[in-house]
Amino acid sequence: MLARKQVSLFQVITHYLIAGLVLLFSTSCGASKKLPRNKPFVYKTTIYLNSPLTGLPKAELISKLENQLDDSIKTRYVSYAGVRVLQNPPGFDSSNIARSRIFLKALLTSIGYFYPQIRDSFYVVKKGDQQRVHINFFVTPGKQTKVESVTYQLTTPALQEIATEPQTKPVIKANDPYSIGAIAAERDRLVSQFHQNGYYKIGPDDVYALVDTVVAALIDPTLDPFEQIRLLDSLKKKSENPTIKIVFKQKPPSDSNQVKKFYIGNVTILPDQSLVQDSVLIYKDSTVKPYQFRFLSNRFKLGFMNRYVSLVPGKLYNETDYYKTINTFNRLGAWQSADVALTERYDSVPLLDAEIRLYPSLKRNLKVDLEASRNIADYLTTSQFFGLGLNFALTNRNAFRQSIQTNTNARFGVEFGSSFIQTLQTNLSHSINFPRLIVPFKISDKIQKKIANERTILNINGSYTIRKDIYNVSSINSGFGYEWSSKRFNWQLIPINVEYTRLDGKDSLNKLIQQIPSLRYAFNDGFVIGTIASMNTTWIKGKRRSNFKVRIEESGALFGFIKNLERNNLFRFVKTDIEYKHLISYNRSALAFRGFFGYGYVYGKKGDQPETNLPFFKAYFAGGPYSMRAWQVRRLGPGSTLLYDTSGTRANDRFGNMQLEANMEYRFDLTTVAGIKVKSALFVDMGNIWSNEFKDANLTDKIPEASFQFSRLYKDLAIGGGTSLRLDFDYFLIRFDWAYKLKDPRWVAINDGWFHDLRIANGQFQLGINYPF
């Protein structure tokens, strides 16, 4: 019966896809009729690059050159169901080719290519009453000029000292490719360094770069060719490997105050400004040292704002403090925007008076929506499966008049699975976010400067879950922790995390426990009392984006020494998750990779018997729209054991202590329909879960196929692959995945599980929201 349902669903999807393709193809045919008739138009412009560059660097340079073309010879294609259709091509004028050639040469010289050579040609192809013009550019960039040296010759000794500090990291340095953009970035870095040391009046126009004049002439596109030849003869050796010297200099100061250090003067905070000002407003004045306040109402307490202002009277002006003040108030939530106005004032020393203008947000917000969601934290809230939820969220952005944010959420959810409605859930939670770190000790100024976006979180959450025919679960949990960021890293520390779970097992679960006795130690009531710590970081280099996450959770490390807790309800384990994601973007496609490793070490006891598995709401599972997509959610593994498949009960959800998974996708654009971007992907998923399971009640007869062993890794790995149709609405994406089991560990005895019963109708359909990783 289940197979017939899959066939029916596949047929419905196929019918809709065919109808959509017919519509798209008819649209594309209509678009081709709009091409100009009886007059030449630009049909295609191609750039051929003769360069030793290969791979991605060459593709990126060609892309930059294509963007540099004059609009009059650019062609715009729109993809309809994978068919590229020309849209509104420009009329052809040969003079536009010369203009584009100048633009191409300017780009190449700006990034350090030595005397580029560019040839062009065009030809006309007649097709019916159309005159299609093909334009070709043949580009030989030559050798790229390298930076020989970077020096600083600033007339103000203090600025020279700042520019040459050993700890500074210049944007451009010796052996880097010459680039006007890099020179501009280095100039901006110098100005920023000066601003961080009190030199408020130094601007970008006060610093300039002087390059080696002889070598600079070699990359001057306007230089007479005979003069180029003379210079090449005199610098033959250098021109074979062209280099250039860069010297940063300082323009003469326009006045004496320009090279003086500024200090912070008076700081005034206006906490309840209005975007529409009324001239008859009456302000109240107050002082909470060291700041002055001018306010219109009692909407905010005054003193708490002092801790978020980094501009301190009498302190040397630092641009970092200026932007940190603005960014801090913008992120607090109580204000929709913040602005800091600086006014120069000259006393015994130059001063900057600051006026901090804050524009409040609406205090409360009620949001009701229907959502599709997932959560990788645990099973009891919203899991890694597709589900629908009705969510009510009440936010208070200014609780206790101190920009403390509270969130109250009520959620009613349903999970769809093999038996249609598979899970029902209700959840009520409340959290309080304090916009600072509440710790029993003083944080030093040195550490405070290195952290940002800090907050303290207190939350409590209760939920009730009905898992059809398997169990009902009620749970309550509470936590107290911290979040902050430093440089490129985001950190989370929850020193106190308490969870209590009560399980009401159904007959099908009890029958499964009788067949696999070790499951009784994972499916029962229990406490989790411990600590959670996590770190994630993201770095971007060109069109490559990487993300790395580590999460560690422990329970019972301290409270487990209370024997009554350990032997009855307290779970004791250490769980570690490591995830790495990498994305390579191209013009209309991307390659995405993900690797995940998770392991839970269990060392507690229930009664006199040792625990063998993680509690089910902390355990790993695979399958569904965000994991191994060729399998239904929680229907893969553990390992290559057949116990779950032959148990004779519907309660065959699989959980594990360990998970390995690797995913790869090739994502590409198809077309745009009514403003909605239609995309697709080809993907491969590989992985499995493993657990410690026993056949007998004495926990002596272990099931080797369910446990992780390097010698069995090839046999236990599952591999799935498929394709996807995706509708991108910009703010979210709907994903329709169709996947096949290419290697199924269940059939490891037959050809190691490869391509077992692989038929078109045997695929697995998954519906997901947003990208899987």
Side-chain angles (χ1 to χ4, degrees):
M1 182 178 293
L2 183 60
R4 286 197 295 271
K5 288 183 180 179
Q6 289 179 338
V7 173
S8 176
L9 179 61
F10 176 75
Q11 290 175 340
V12 171
I13 295 173
T14 303
H15 291 163
Y16 275 109
L17 287 178
I18 293 175
L21 290 175
V22 171
L23 177 62
L24 292 175
F25 275 119
S26 65
T27 306
S28 66
C29 293
S32 64
K33 296 178 182 178
K34 297 180 181 178
L35 297 179
R37 301 179 181 180
N38 300 317
K39 61 178 181 180
F41 63 89
V42 180
Y43 183 77
K44 187 177 183 180
T45 301
T46 307
I47 295 177
Y48 297 94
L49 185 63
N50 180 19
S51 168
L53 294 174
T54 58
L56 187 59
K58 185 172 183 178
E60 289 179 344
L61 181 54
I62 292 177
S63 178
K64 290 179 180 178
L65 291 169
E66 290 174 343
N67 291 332
Q68 199 72 4
L69 292 171
D70 188 77
D71 290 341
S72 59
I73 64 170
K74 281 185 178 179
T75 53
R76 177 175 175 267
Y77 283 84
V78 178
S79 179
Y80 291 93
V83 179
R84 298 179 71 233
V85 179
L86 185 61
Q87 290 283 310
N88 303 320
F92 174 69
D93 186 340
S94 58
S95 63
N96 295 329
I97 297 179
R99 189 184 303 116
S100 289
R101 190 169 59 246
I102 294 174
F103 294 159
L104 295 178
K105 194 168 186 179
L107 170 68
L108 290 169
T109 56
S110 71
I111 57 179
Y113 280 97
F114 173 70
Y115 198 56
Q117 298 178 2
I118 302 175
R119 295 185 298 106
D120 58 75
S121 66
F122 68 89
Y123 59 92
V124 180
V125 175
K126 293 185 177 181
K127 187 173 182 180
D129 55 2
Q130 298 176 3
Q131 299 180 35
R132 302 179 175 182
V133 180
H134 294 250
I135 303 174
N136 297 321
F137 288 94
F138 303 91
V139 179
T140 303
K143 293 188 176 180
Q144 191 172 25
T145 303
K146 301 288 185 178
V147 175
E148 182 177 329
S149 63
V150 180
T151 56
Y152 306 90
Q153 297 179 7
L154 307 179
T155 55
T156 303
L159 299 182
Q160 175 71 12
E161 183 179 352
I162 293 172
T164 56
E165 287 178 348
Q167 65 268 27
T168 59
K169 296 181 179 180
V171 176
I172 188 169
K173 53 188 181 296
N175 296 321
D176 284 353
Y178 173 84
S179 167
I180 292 177
I183 292 176
E186 174 62 11
R187 181 197 61 187
D188 293 342
R189 185 195 68 83
L190 288 174
V191 173
S192 178
Q193 286 292 111
F194 300 151
H195 288 174
Q196 292 177 33
N197 287 271
Y199 294 95
Y200 169 74
K201 297 197 70 173
I202 295 291
D205 294 336
D206 298 316
V207 180
Y208 66 96
L210 184 66
V211 298
D212 184 327
T213 54
V214 176
V215 180
L218 293 176
I219 62 171
D220 184 355
T222 64
L223 195 65
D224 182 85
F226 293 101
E227 181 65 14
Q228 284 277 7
I229 294 174
R230 187 187 68 80
L231 290 172
L232 284 171
D233 288 338
S234 62
L235 297 174
K236 182 177 179 181
K237 183 177 180 180
K238 195 167 189 176
S239 65
E240 291 176 354
N241 294 287
T243 59
I244 194 166
K245 296 179 180 179
I246 303 173
V247 182
F248 287 91
K249 290 181 171 289
Q250 176 188 357
K251 289 183 180 179
S254 57
D255 62 76
S256 59
N257 292 320
Q258 191 173 24
V259 290
K260 287 184 178 180
K261 291 185 176 182
F262 280 73
Y263 293 80
I264 301 300
N266 299 324
V267 178
T268 304
I269 303 174
L270 293 82
D272 50 2
Q273 288 285 280
S274 174
L275 294 175
V276 180
Q277 294 292 345
D278 189 337
S279 58
V280 299
L281 293 177
I282 300 176
Y283 286 92
K284 301 176 184 178
D285 295 316
S286 182
T287 300
V288 181
K289 291 184 178 181
Y291 303 115
Q292 301 171 10
F293 289 85
R294 297 188 69 211
F295 55 97
L296 299 167
S297 65
N298 294 322
R299 183 182 300 187
F300 299 96
K301 290 183 178 180
L302 302 182
F304 85 95
M305 285 178 268
N306 288 17
R307 67 172 66 98
Y308 304 120
V309 180
S310 300
L311 298 171
V312 181
K315 183 180 177 182
L316 187 68
Y317 169 75
N318 188 324
E319 185 180 62
T320 301
D321 294 335
Y322 171 83
Y323 285 112
K324 185 176 182 180
T325 299
I326 295 175
N327 293 335
T328 298
F329 280 106
N330 279 332
R331 74 171 177 83
L332 288 179
W335 294 277
Q336 58 180 308
S337 65
D339 179 52
V340 177
L342 299 175
T343 304
E344 299 173 27
R345 178 164 58 91
Y346 296 92
D347 203 333
S348 57
V349 295
L351 298 174
L352 290 171
D353 292 333
E355 191 174 77
I356 303 174
R357 302 166 184 163
L358 307 176
Y359 301 87
S361 302
L362 290 176
K363 183 177 180 179
R364 293 182 179 87
N365 177 58
L366 176 63
K367 184 178 180 181
V368 181
D369 56 22
L370 180 67
E371 64 177 22
S373 62
R374 70 183 178 100
N375 191 317
I376 64 172
D378 58 69
Y379 169 73
L380 291 179
T381 53
T382 48
S383 298
Q384 277 186 328
F385 47 75
F386 175 73
L388 292 177
L390 181 62
N391 192 52
F392 300 86
L394 176 63
T395 301
N396 185 341
R397 299 186 179 93
N398 188 33
F400 314 108
R401 296 165 54 212
Q402 297 185 57
S403 189
I404 296 172
Q405 183 169 302
T406 65
N407 295 281
T408 304
N409 288 273
R411 186 179 187 278
F412 306 92
V414 57
E415 172 202 347
F416 298 100
S418 58
S419 56
F420 189 59
I421 296 180
Q422 189 163 307
T423 304
L424 294 174
Q425 181 188 72
T426 181
N427 179 277
L428 180 65
S429 65
H430 182 73
S431 65
I432 305 175
N433 298 333
F434 302 88
R436 61 190 178 96
L437 298 181
I438 301 176
V439 293
F441 54 86
K442 180 177 175 55
I443 301 176
S444 67
D445 293 339
K446 184 177 180 180
I447 295 178
Q448 191 66 49
K449 288 181 179 179
K450 295 181 179 180
I451 63 176
N453 304 323
E454 65 270 22
R455 62 176 181 164
T456 301
I457 302 174
L458 174 65
N459 68 72
I460 185 168
N461 177 78
S463 67
Y464 186 74
T465 302
I466 300 174
R467 185 77 172 88
K468 185 179 179 182
D469 299 330
I470 304 178
Y471 46 66
N472 296 344
V473 174
S474 56
S475 69
I476 184 169
N477 62 73
S478 181
F480 178 84
Y482 309 99
E483 292 181 357
W484 73 95
S485 59
S486 60
K487 292 186 178 180
R488 296 187 309 176
F489 297 92
N490 297 312
W491 304 87
Q492 182 188 64
L493 174 63
I494 304 176
I496 302 175
N497 178 61
V498 181
E499 303 180 36
Y500 174 72
T501 302
R502 181 176 178 83
L503 176 73
D504 179 18
K506 303 300 180 181
D507 289 342
S508 54
L509 177 61
N510 296 331
K511 291 178 182 178
L512 185 64
I513 291 177
Q514 291 177 3
Q515 297 179 21
I516 309 176
S518 58
L519 293 182
R520 76 176 67 250
Y521 301 106
F523 289 88
N524 55 25
D525 302 345
F527 276 114
V528 169
I529 307 176
T531 301
I532 301 173
S534 66
M535 179 277 294
N536 77 80
T537 180
T538 300
W539 62 96
I540 301 173
K541 186 176 182 180
K543 296 185 177 182
R544 298 171 182 261
R545 178 187 180 94
S546 299
N547 177 265
F548 180 70
K549 296 180 181 179
V550 177
R551 185 177 187 271
I552 300 174
E553 179 179 3
E554 68 82 18
S555 174
L558 293 177
F559 290 92
F561 291 105
I562 303 175
K563 295 301 180 182
N564 288 336
L565 284 178
E566 183 197 17
R567 292 180 178 274
N568 291 285
N569 294 314
L570 182 64
F571 290 104
R572 303 188 75 183
F573 62 85
V574 178
K575 181 183 176 185
T576 302
D577 297 344
I578 301 174
E579 182 181 52
Y580 174 74
K581 294 186 287 188
H582 186 66
L583 180 69
I584 306 175
S585 298
Y586 302 99
N587 288 339
R588 290 180 291 272
S589 61
L591 278 172
F593 305 89
R594 172 183 176 266
F596 177 83
F597 168 76
Y599 177 73
Y601 172 69
V602 183
Y603 60 96
K605 288 185 177 180
K606 286 290 185 292
D608 294 327
Q609 291 289 346
E611 296 178 27
T612 58
N613 288 309
L614 290 168
F616 71 98
F617 54 93
K618 293 291 183 180
Y620 300 101
F621 58 87
Y626 301 96
S627 183
M628 302 291 295
R629 284 164 281 185
W631 282 262
Q632 295 178 11
V633 64
R634 296 185 294 271
R635 289 298 191 269
L636 174 61
S640 54
T641 180
L642 299 179
L643 279 179
Y644 287 85
D645 298 285
T646 58
S647 63
T649 175
R650 295 179 60 187
N652 57 3
D653 287 2
R654 297 101 185 273
F655 299 91
N657 292 356
M658 177 177 173
Q659 182 174 11
L660 280 175
E661 189 166 328
N663 315 88
M664 182 181 72
E665 284 194 346
Y666 174 63
R667 303 168 180 171
F668 52 93
D669 299 341
L670 288 179
T671 186
T672 301
V673 178
I676 301 172
K677 301 172 186 175
V678 182
K679 302 182 178 182
S680 184
L682 300 173
F683 59 83
V684 175
D685 302 322
M686 178 173 63
N688 207 333
I689 62 169
W690 292 266
S691 64
N692 297 317
E693 296 182 354
F694 297 81
K695 295 180 181 179
D696 61 276
N698 296 321
L699 305 184
T700 55
D701 192 2
K702 199 171 185 179
I703 304 173
E705 294 84 2
S707 304
F708 178 81
Q709 302 176 36
F710 277 107
S711 60
R712 293 190 55 86
L713 181 58
Y714 173 75
K715 294 181 178 181
D716 290 348
L717 278 180
I719 301 177
T723 187
S724 177
L725 180 67
R726 298 167 180 185
L727 306 180
D728 188 352
F729 296 86
D730 290 332
Y731 46 93
F732 76 98
L733 179 142
I734 299 178
R735 178 165 44 88
F736 307 92
D737 292 342
W738 185 260
Y740 293 95
K741 300 175 182 177
L742 303 180
K743 182 180 181 297
D744 190 348
R746 188 200 187 288
W747 305 100
V748 67
I750 305 175
N751 195 30
D752 290 327
W754 283 101
F755 310 118
H756 180 80
D757 195 23
L758 188 62
R759 292 176 293 164
I760 292 179
N762 278 3
Q764 176 64 46
F765 174 70
Q766 304 283 4
L767 176 62
I769 302 297
N770 294 327
Y771 289 105
F773 55 88

